[in-house]
Amino acid sequence: MRKLQSEKTDFGYTLVIVGVVVTIAIIFAFVLPNKKIPDGLPNDYYDIISTIEKSKANIYVYSDTIDFNEDYESINILSVEGLPDWRYGVKNFLVIDMEKYTSEDFATEEQIEDLYNVQCYYVLIVNNGSSNSTTLENFIDPDDSSSDLITYTYDQCHVNHYTGVALDDFPSHQMIMYAILDEIKRIVDES
Amino acid sequence: MLTLFATVNVDLGSVHADSTAVGMGFDVSSTQYGDAKDYKYYSTYTYKVKNDVNYAIGWSKVKGAVYEDQTNSNWALAIIQVTSQPKDIKIPWGIFNIKRLYDGYTYNQNIYSDIDGSFKNFGYGAYITGTGFLMEQPTPRDEPDTFSYTASVEVSDQIKASGSVTFDDNELDLYFGHQADTQEFEVDYRYSCSGFDCSYRNAMTYNKAAFLVDMSNSNNSTAGNFVNTIKLTTRFHSQSGPDSWQMFGIEEELSITLFY
């Protein structure tokens, strides 16, 4: 009788161990490899990052808070001095957070204009409206200044430049970072 | 519904096509119209709010350019390209707030103008959406296609017609209307499935429209001569998951004003 009880207990332990192993296997197989998308962001978040990475675009960022959750490795800069000149086949993006850009230590307006109009950088101005910034008041069209994401882009550099204005009241910092990446991805796709 | 093919001052086969217009899927003669006087776009995301969190379910854009007719300054040509991109997203749902896929799709895009609500005379002219142009529509396709996109309407001192067109794959129906007495212009791009294939309305798509504006009675603004204000409304629905039972989806409005 005791032997029978012992065999039942062993069988129970075996079942528990098998169950735990299977559960761990499922977690490793389906849960852990899927990186978590920040709350409120669409499912294409990592696809966008992957497209930008494959494009080999250079994204230079001047900000204390725009880090793309370290899911995308942008190039943080402290000044526009030393940024590379235009080179055929290379797409350069300059993301400027107006919360941080309060002095000419980073750049003068003329330098920003030169990077856009001459060196063919795509320039993304972030948080201009929410910061009530006037640092680039001669560069930014007054009609656009209330936006928190203004894109200076072109179909063909030196020929047909134009601006794109996001009219969103971005609900979160995550959403602004997503919108920046989404905008860059569209430019990469369409150019 | 009668579809007319307007003969307007848009050079259909110009070898001197303006590159800005080409980028938007139009062929505008740079000889007649020169460079674009105004060229820009506005965009916005559409959100669904759940538990005080905003979930982005779609993105839309209206892009416009305006040209002055170099041969007759009484006329301006406005070209418009609108874009819709539904976004799939997981949204918490039910009493347990389990995240479920919000499988978004575009229900329709509507371009509307009542001349900025003013009494400015819309003027006489012709409205055309092009025939045989290299178009970015419908997407997704590897290359722009040369669909016979033939909706157009001619407007004169008397209303002649309003046009309607259906794309050959039945994925997009276009309805067009103009009412001279109320100064209204409207074109509605309605998305539909092609048989069982509904992939088109889930994709990023581009629609376009163009029209001539009578500048002989134009308004002025601090930005220059006011040409027109266009309102775009994009409606997103959910194909499955949360809200798929709802009839009206979520609408988002954008407007763009063109000057020179």
Side-chain angles (χ1 to χ4, degrees):
Chain A
M1 190 68 175
R2 275 189 186 165
K3 189 180 177 186
L4 190 61
Q5 278 183 336
S6 173
E7 282 176 354
K8 277 185 180 173
T9 308
D10 289 347
F11 182 67
Y13 285 144
T14 306
L15 272 182
V16 169
I17 291 168
V18 169
V20 169
V21 170
V22 168
T23 305
I24 291 171
I26 289 172
I27 289 171
F28 271 96
F30 297 106
V31 179
L32 289 183
N34 293 329
K35 296 177 198 171
K36 192 174 186 306
I37 295 172
D39 208 18
L41 303 191
N43 292 0
D44 61 359
Y45 175 70
Y46 285 109
D47 294 336
I48 289 169
I49 289 170
S50 174
T51 301
I52 296 171
E53 286 173 340
K54 286 175 186 166
S55 75
K56 302 195 186 311
N58 298 315
I59 302 179
Y60 301 94
V61 177
Y62 182 65
S63 173
D64 288 330
T65 57
I66 298 170
D67 61 0
F68 306 116
N69 305 309
E70 299 183 357
D71 293 321
Y72 177 79
E73 287 188 25
S74 55
I75 305 165
N76 294 318
I77 58 172
L78 297 174
S79 165
V80 297
E81 298 287 348
L83 284 179
D85 290 344
W86 178 83
R87 197 156 55 87
Y88 181 77
V90 177
K91 289 187 178 60
N92 291 319
F93 294 84
L94 177 60
V95 179
I96 305 170
D97 184 352
M98 300 308 285
E99 299 274 8
K100 181 170 182 176
Y101 183 20
T102 54
S103 75
E104 292 188 346
D105 292 344
F106 168 64
T108 62
E109 283 195 87
E110 291 74 22
Q111 285 176 306
I112 302 295
E113 286 179 15
D114 181 75
L115 285 168
Y116 174 50
N117 291 312
V118 180
Q119 301 301 335
C120 303
Y121 276 66
Y122 298 94
V123 179
L124 283 77
I125 309 289
V126 183
N127 291 326
N128 194 68
S130 57
S131 67
N132 293 315
S133 173
T134 56
T135 311
L136 288 175
E137 63 182 352
N138 296 319
F139 182 68
I140 297 172
D141 188 317
D143 289 340
D144 303 339
S145 60
S146 61
S147 172
D148 277 336
L149 179 57
I150 310 166
T151 304
Y152 289 82
T153 184
Y154 50 83
D155 293 328
Q156 191 181 346
C157 189
H158 305 143
V159 180
N160 41 12
H161 290 224
Y162 61 105
T163 54
V165 178
L167 301 180
D168 299 69
D169 290 325
F170 288 107
S172 67
H173 182 60
Q174 289 292 344
M175 193 60 212
I176 289 182
M177 291 196 293
Y178 173 85
I180 293 167
L181 293 171
D182 203 17
E183 188 81 339
I184 290 171
K185 188 253 185 188
R186 273 189 293 271
I187 291 172
V188 164
D189 281 346
E190 294 175 2
S191 59
Chain B
M1 286 289 196
L2 176 64
T3 301
L4 289 182
F5 300 91
T7 53
V8 295
N9 295 329
V10 181
D11 189 349
L12 299 181
S14 172
V15 292
H16 303 290
D18 174 70
S19 59
T20 299
V22 171
M24 292 172 63
F26 292 93
D27 187 358
V28 174
S29 166
S30 58
T31 305
Q32 183 173 355
Y33 288 101
D35 296 329
K37 298 277 188 179
D38 195 5
Y39 178 35
K40 60 196 173 195
Y41 68 85
Y42 294 154
S43 67
T44 189
Y45 289 89
T46 301
Y47 302 95
K48 176 173 179 59
V49 180
K50 181 74 178 175
N51 298 341
D52 295 328
V53 177
N54 287 267
Y55 293 86
I57 62 163
W59 177 83
S60 52
K61 178 174 87 170
V62 55
K63 187 176 183 180
V66 62
Y67 299 82
E68 181 181 12
D69 189 336
Q70 306 295 303
T71 63
N72 183 347
S73 60
N74 282 341
W75 291 101
L77 169 67
I79 59 175
I80 304 286
Q81 184 195 62
V82 294
T83 309
S84 175
Q85 185 183 25
K87 298 274 188 183
D88 291 344
I89 189 168
K90 287 185 176 171
I91 297 177
W93 206 250
I95 56 173
F96 298 111
N97 282 321
I98 296 171
K99 283 198 171 181
R100 291 185 60 194
L101 177 67
Y102 187 101
D103 184 5
Y105 71 88
T106 308
Y107 182 82
N108 76 323
Q109 281 203 296
N110 182 278
I111 299 174
Y112 174 80
S113 172
D114 65 352
I115 319 303
D116 204 23
S118 73
F119 292 103
K120 176 187 174 299
N121 183 7
F122 201 15
Y124 310 139
Y127 303 79
I128 186 167
T129 48
T131 303
F133 291 148
L134 282 175
M135 294 183 63
E136 295 177 77
Q137 172 76 287
T139 52
R141 294 181 189 279
D142 292 336
E143 297 292 335
D145 214 330
T146 52
F147 274 146
S148 181
Y149 182 79
T150 53
S152 62
V153 60
E154 186 176 330
V155 180
S156 69
D157 56 344
Q158 294 180 338
I159 299 172
K160 288 187 177 179
S162 58
S164 171
V165 70
T166 302
F167 282 97
D168 59 358
D169 50 9
N170 293 319
E171 290 175 331
L172 188 68
D173 296 332
L174 184 148
Y175 298 86
F176 186 96
H178 173 258
Q179 284 190 296
D181 55 342
T182 56
Q183 306 291 330
E184 290 176 344
F185 161 82
E186 186 170 13
V187 58
D188 196 28
Y189 304 86
R190 299 181 191 176
Y191 291 68
S192 57
C193 298
S194 178
F196 293 108
D197 181 10
C198 298
S199 58
Y200 171 74
R201 63 184 190 178
N202 286 87
M204 179 143 79
T205 53
Y206 304 85
N207 303 312
K208 61 179 188 174
F211 49 89
L212 299 174
V213 179
D214 182 358
M215 297 298 290
S216 61
N217 193 24
S218 65
N219 289 349
N220 290 317
S221 79
T222 54
N225 280 337
F226 164 72
V227 177
N228 208 346
T229 294
I230 306 294
K231 188 173 81 174
L232 167 72
T233 304
T234 305
R235 189 191 298 180
F236 295 103
H237 278 215
S238 173
Q239 189 156 266
S240 63
D243 284 356
S244 58
W245 52 272
Q246 285 192 347
M247 190 178 296
F248 298 109
I250 300 175
E251 281 189 351
E252 191 67 55
E253 287 186 3
L254 279 172
S255 68
I256 188 167
T257 302
L258 299 170
F259 300 96
Y260 66 65

